[in-house]
Amino acid sequence: MLSDIMESTTDTQREGHESEIVNMVRTSLVDDDAIVRTAAAKAFGTFQEHIGAKAINQTIPTLLEALCQPGERSGTALQALREVMSVRAATVFPVLIPTLIATPVTVFNVRILASLVTVAGNALSKRLTVILNALVNVIEEDKDEELGDALYETLRALLGSIEDPEGLNTLMLLLLGWTKDAAPTRRASACDLFAVFCEVSELDSALYRVDWVRQLISLFDDPEVNVHTAAWKAFDTFIKSIPRKSVANERPAISRPACDYEDN
């Protein structure tokens, strides 16, 4: 209904009624009924088309505040954000990220992020480097077990949600770069994340296989135990993730770096 009104009226006709529209959308987004929330998300999308960033500024902060409330209201707000993301991820997701990865990173925010990345679509690719840097920094520095578990699950959700060539390329270049980092913890993190990617992603990463074989094999001789252990684990997971047909077709290219390693 509200979407129809937005689409069938002019800016002049809506002038002076924006606050009422905002209140209707905000109230409906946190309604207990899923059908109402879905309709409200559609209305939000139409509203945002007409008034731009103002729709986000007047709606999303309210949902973020509701997330922090105890009880069912928090869960409803999360569902509302997922609904909104499903229609306007490209504009809404960038607004949410600074709050969700702000320091100190919390278990609560990390779990919300895990839920939202699954509906981010291509919007995830644009913010992949920022998110991964923030989460990996926490993993490497914070030893809280509950937070560590939440971060691991979020990273699995994130890596499994990358669905376009741009996101894949961003991820591969970032992780390959980290395997050459001066810090041993970052080299190990790169291997760990690549192993997770191999486990959860259905994307075709054939273009990057030779690079990964070469880089992981080079880390077998890393002086840091945690690095070469992570490299071996990643290599094993990586090889097991390659379809049998692909292994047969690409065997010469994949085996060449291994032969070079043995020769040295």
Side-chain angles (χ1 to χ4, degrees), residues 57-111:
N57 296 336
Q58 295 181 4
T59 306
I60 301 305
T62 302
L63 293 178
L64 288 173
E65 287 177 14
L67 278 173
C68 300
Q69 302 301 315
E72 294 182 7
R73 186 170 173 79
S74 176
T76 303
L78 178 57
Q79 290 305 314
L81 281 172
R82 285 176 57 87
E83 293 282 3
V84 169
M85 287 270 291
S86 69
V87 294
R88 279 290 181 270
T91 52
V92 173
F93 194 47
V95 176
L96 298 174
I97 291 171
T99 298
L100 298 179
I101 64 174
T103 53
V105 174
T106 66
V107 172
F108 181 75
N109 283 354
V110 165
R111 286 176 176 160

Side-chain angles (χ1 to χ4, degrees), residues 105-108 110-111 138-139 142-154:
V105 174
T106 66
V107 172
F108 181 75
V110 165
R111 286 176 176 160
V138 178
I139 286 178
D142 196 306
K143 303 307 176 185
D144 181 86
E145 185 175 346
E146 184 183 10
L147 179 57
D149 290 343
L151 285 164
Y152 178 71
E153 291 305 318
T154 299

Side-chain angles (χ1 to χ4, degrees), residues 116-179:
L116 295 181
V117 294
T118 62
V119 291
N122 293 349
L124 177 60
S125 301
K126 305 290 186 184
R127 299 293 186 276
L128 201 52
T129 300
V130 172
I131 297 173
L132 280 173
N133 269 302
L135 299 186
V136 172
N137 283 340
V138 178
I139 286 178
E140 292 174 351
E141 296 170 7
D142 196 306
K143 303 307 176 185
D144 181 86
E145 185 175 346
E146 184 183 10
L147 179 57
D149 290 343
L151 285 164
Y152 178 71
E153 291 305 318
T154 299
L155 286 167
R156 287 184 67 88
L158 184 151
L159 295 176
S161 298
I162 299 169
E163 58 184 31
D164 63 311
E166 179 186 359
L168 176 62
N169 185 62
T170 298
L171 177 68
M172 294 293 100
L173 294 183
L174 180 65
L175 296 186
L176 284 166
W178 283 357
T179 62

